Amino acid sequence: MCGRFQASSSPAELARWFNTTGPVPNLQQRYNAAPTQALPIVLRGPETGKRRLAALRWGLIPSWAGDVKVAYSMFNAMAETVAIKPAFRDAFKSRRCLVPADAFYEWQKLDANTKQPYRFVLAGGSPMAFAGLWEHWNSPAGGETVTSFTIITTAPNALCAPIHNRMPVILDAADWQTWLGEVPASSDELRALLQPYPAERMEAHMIGPEIGNVRNDNAGLIDRLISA
């Protein structure tokens, strides 16, 4: 799964990197981004067909959901079932997005009571683009509308496997157009993109346990933990 990540790049930086148009949202720097927070995504605007940067709630709420609580179990979607699972299949067809990230975190279980967090980045330090889906939800009772997203996960690569049994799908820039629907693609072609990212193009290092508390959100959280 992917339950925490770093989203600290400025909106202006993201707009340049992902070549978005239109106004940019006022986003808070997040070094410990967590479900239910408003976080940046890149989507293809339904009205214009152009890329735009938006701030959506992390934790997808299907259009048919009775209330927002379902989002707590929908912050990830599995690549193996995303095209057929009722919660995600409609969004997979036409509401795909990119989720910008500077890093993501996973925890390695050391014993029954201890987990060691790791920070994963792209070699060279460039931002990542997770494969995501987005959705509109209108409260059955009326008066509330929420736009939300989920991050798609896949099997781990050789770097992630010793730490965790899942990792977010990271898309190459060459595949962004296809994923966003800017060029035609079949369901099979889209699902073929949902593969583990090459391990040799990533790096990982241990960080301190403070990342485990969502209330902690500062640049010091990503400092490399130096072993004695």
Side-chain angles (χ1 to χ4, degrees):
M1 62 182 238
C2 176
R4 301 286 180 81
F5 66 96
Q6 178 186 342
S8 57
S9 293
S10 71
E13 290 172 324
L14 294 177
R16 287 194 299 270
W17 187 262
F18 291 96
N19 195 28
T20 63
T21 61
V24 295
N26 183 20
L27 296 166
Q28 179 179 341
Q29 275 191 313
R30 295 285 188 182
Y31 291 89
N32 197 6
T36 76
Q37 293 175 349
L39 298 166
I41 72 158
V42 176
L43 55 83
R44 186 181 181 218
E47 302 85 6
T48 65
K50 296 182 179 180
R51 293 181 193 177
R52 65 180 178 90
L53 188 64
L56 273 59
R57 173 180 168 140
W58 185 13
L60 189 139
I61 308 171
S63 60
W64 42 260
D67 60 54
V68 298
K69 293 179 181 178
V70 69
Y72 291 102
S73 62
M74 299 288 182
F75 58 89
N76 285 164
M78 295 181 67
E80 297 86 345
T81 58
V82 68
I84 59 174
K85 191 170 182 179
F88 305 121
R89 62 189 179 194
D90 287 344
F92 178 78
K93 293 176 183 176
S94 60
R95 288 182 295 280
R96 299 180 300 276
C97 64
L98 304 174
V99 183
D102 298 280
F104 68 92
Y105 311 112
E106 294 294 358
W107 282 255
Q108 181 183 41
K109 187 174 182 179
L110 302 180
D111 56 45
N113 300 308
T114 310
K115 292 183 179 181
Q116 172 61 55
Y118 282 76
R119 178 173 180 259
F120 292 85
V121 298
L122 296 188
S126 61
M128 304 176 183
F130 300 151
L133 307 173
W134 65 278
E135 185 66 89
H136 281 302
W137 176 80
N138 296 309
S139 169
E144 183 180 15
T145 299
V146 178
T147 310
S148 59
F149 75 94
T150 189
I151 293 170
I152 301 175
T153 67
T154 187
N157 61 22
L159 181 66
C160 297
I163 312 302
H164 201 271
N165 64 352
R166 303 291 291 179
M167 68 177 290
V169 172
I170 302 170
L171 296 175
D172 273 325
D175 296 322
W176 295 352
Q177 284 186 304
T178 302
W179 184 250
L180 291 174
E182 295 169 351
V183 297
S186 67
S187 178
D188 287 345
E189 290 170 326
L190 292 168
R191 286 187 287 113
L193 299 178
L194 307 179
Q195 303 297 323
Y197 199 75
E200 64 273 15
R201 295 168 58 188
M202 296 180 65
E203 299 174 354
H205 62 262
M206 293 187 294
I207 56 176
E210 295 81 10
I211 196 72
N213 187 337
V214 71
R215 294 183 181 87
N216 297 327
D217 194 353
N218 59 76
L221 295 174
I222 67 175
D223 290 343
R224 185 184 298 267
L225 191 63
I226 305 299
S227 300

